[in-house]
Amino acid sequence: RTGSGTVSDPYGSAAYAVEKAPNGSTIVLRGGTYREYVYVGFDRKLTVQSYPGEAVWFDGSSRVSNWSKSGATWVSSGWKAEFDDDMLNGNASWFVDPNYPMANHPDQLYVDGVPLRQVATAAQVVPGTFAVDDAADRLILGTDPTGRNVRASDLGQALNVRSANSVLQGFGVRRY
C-alpha cells in the first residue's frame, strides 16, 4: 500500500489501485507478476488493463523448494494453504466424475510448468502425481524435484468482479 498512483509513483498492488481509483478510471498494470486477490464491487466502473506491450500475470502459486526424500516420494513440510473442497455439503458425487475423484479439490502442483495430477493419499503418490496432507501441513510429490521449478497454488482466487460495467483486458491469470 505504497505510492500515489501516478506513473512515476505507482501503487504497490493492483488491489490497492482498484480500492483507490475513482469510478470511470483506467488502471494500467505494469509488466510483471501479481500475487494477489482483487475485488471490484457492484458499484464500480473501472477498466483494468496491462501497459501496452508489457506482459502482466496474476499468479496464484508460490515456489516450493524445501523438499526431503521420503522413500519413493518427496515431502515438503510447513504447507499451510488449504482450499475449500466441499460441494453441496459433501455431495460432490452430483458433479464429480467417479473417474476423477479429486476433481473438487482445487489444489494444484506444477513441475517445470507441467501440472501434476492430485491423488487422495500419500500412499497413492507415484511419478506425475501429488497429494496434500492438510492434517500434517505437507505436500507429497512423486516426481523428483531436484533442479526443477516446483510451484503450488496457494491463493484461491485472482479476481472477483461484481460490477457489470467494468472491463478487464490484456493480462493473464494462472495457477489459482
Side-chain angles (χ1 to χ4, degrees):
R1 297 192 180 249
T2 61
S4 62
T6 64
V7 172
S8 60
D9 188 28
Y11 290 130
S13 77
Y16 191 62
V18 166
E19 181 183 317
K20 291 296 186 183
N23 276 337
S25 296
T26 296
I27 297 167
V28 180
L29 304 174
R30 295 308 303 250
T33 301
Y34 294 76
R35 284 193 27 78
E36 59 185 291
Y37 164 76
V38 176
Y39 175 77
V40 180
F42 289 101
D43 60 341
R44 304 305 309 273
K45 181 179 181 183
L46 300 171
T47 297
V48 181
Q49 68 184 47
S50 62
Y51 189 86
E54 293 186 6
V56 171
W57 285 96
F58 282 83
D59 191 324
S61 71
S62 62
R63 188 170 184 144
V64 182
S65 58
N66 62 329
W67 297 101
S68 300
K69 183 112 169 86
S70 176
T73 64
W74 289 262
V75 175
S76 176
S77 296
W79 186 250
K80 299 290 188 187
E82 290 190 29
F83 299 106
D84 183 7
D85 60 6
D86 186 21
M87 297 177 74
L88 293 176
N89 298 318
N91 200 354
S93 64
W94 290 5
F95 301 101
V96 177
D97 183 329
N99 294 317
Y100 304 96
M102 297 302 291
N104 65 315
H105 293 260
D107 305 277
Q108 298 177 47
L109 197 123
Y110 305 83
V111 175
D112 293 334
V114 177
L116 301 186
R117 184 173 58 85
Q118 185 176 9
V119 295
T121 68
Q124 296 172 314
V125 173
V126 296
T129 68
F130 75 99
V132 179
D133 181 349
D134 286 326
D137 294 334
R138 62 190 191 133
L139 296 172
I140 302 98
L141 174 61
T143 301
D144 185 352
T146 306
R148 316 279 295 273
N149 180 2
V150 180
R151 300 189 71 84
S153 295
D154 57 353
L155 297 176
Q157 189 173 5
L159 303 151
N160 183 347
V161 181
R162 300 292 177 109
S163 165
N165 299 309
S166 290
V167 175
L168 310 175
Q169 59 190 13
F171 57 84
V173 176
R174 62 183 176 205
R175 297 189 285 241
Y176 280 87

